[in-house]
Amino acid sequence: MKYEGKYGTLEIDENGPLGYKPEVYCTELNLGGELTADNVKALLRWKDCRWLSPDSDNTEKVLARLDDINAFRAGRQEALAPFFGGSGVYDVFIRHIARPVEYPIYDRHVLNAYCRLEKGLADGTSEDTTPERYDEYRAFFFKVYEAMFGTGERKNDLETVRNMKRVDNALFEYDKAHGEK
């Protein structure tokens, strides 16, 4: 399957790889239930094993707000206040683990892939992730998802999460192929 951007083509295998440790990622999202401290620790370690290690202050900061995360997940809370600031990557990731079908993963690789495909970002260059850029990227992500999987409707189920992860992985690999060497 292909997504034709303005400046390039993204190929996605509908049965392709999910990227790094899908057995941890898919299991620990605990779809249909509340997130536990163990789920969150495992997912944070999956995202960044150094900065978000299980015994780090950063992980403790997130776990201290586990009730808020689960309230956001259940729809009892409209938004999550930032945990860290900065580029927004880790704050988006926490929204992602709470509501994976609504908040795709965000990092410099997927942002760069978006900018290469839709804005003509030159190979070998890079954009900075910012919280402000996320909504623009998110809209692009769902446009690609719909083009690849034929529906804008996404269910909070493992099949949707796996398909979203395939899009994420394809974007990541696209940037690795075209990004800074």
Side-chain angles (χ1 to χ4, degrees), residues 1 23 31-32 35 57 75 90 95 98 133 145 166 168 179:
M1 298 186 307
E23 67 281 358
L31 298 174
L35 290 165
D57 290 343
Y90 295 117
R95 281 185 268 161
R133 306 265 337 245
Y145 179 89
R166 284 184 178 95
D168 173 77

Side-chain angles (χ1 to χ4, degrees), residues 63-116:
L63 292 175
R65 292 180 46 200
L66 185 57
D67 288 343
D68 288 343
I69 295 167
N70 279 315
F72 179 67
R73 176 176 256 210
R76 296 187 310 269
Q77 187 171 311
E78 271 187 54
L80 278 174
F83 288 75
F84 304 111
S87 70
V89 167
Y90 295 117
D91 286 326
V92 166
F93 186 70
I94 295 164
R95 281 185 268 161
H96 170 75
I97 66 174
R99 295 185 186 175
V101 173
E102 295 175 45
Y103 295 93
I105 295 172
Y106 180 57
D107 61 33
R108 71 181 177 92
H109 293 291
V110 298
L111 177 65
N112 285 337
Y114 156 62
C115 290
R116 286 183 214 301

Side-chain angles (χ1 to χ4, degrees), residues 147-158:
M148 294 295 99
F149 296 100
T151 179
E153 182 182 339
R154 298 172 311 278
K155 298 177 183 171
N156 191 29
D157 65 4
L158 196 52

Side-chain angles (χ1 to χ4, degrees), residues 9-41:
T9 302
L10 176 70
E11 292 190 39
I12 300 174
D13 181 348
E14 67 181 302
N15 297 308
L18 301 177
Y20 179 69
K21 291 189 178 181
E23 67 281 358
V24 172
Y25 172 75
C26 292
T27 301
E28 297 298 341
L29 282 173
N30 197 27
L31 298 174
E34 285 197 343
L35 290 165
T36 66
D38 287 340
N39 295 142
V40 171
K41 284 180 189 178

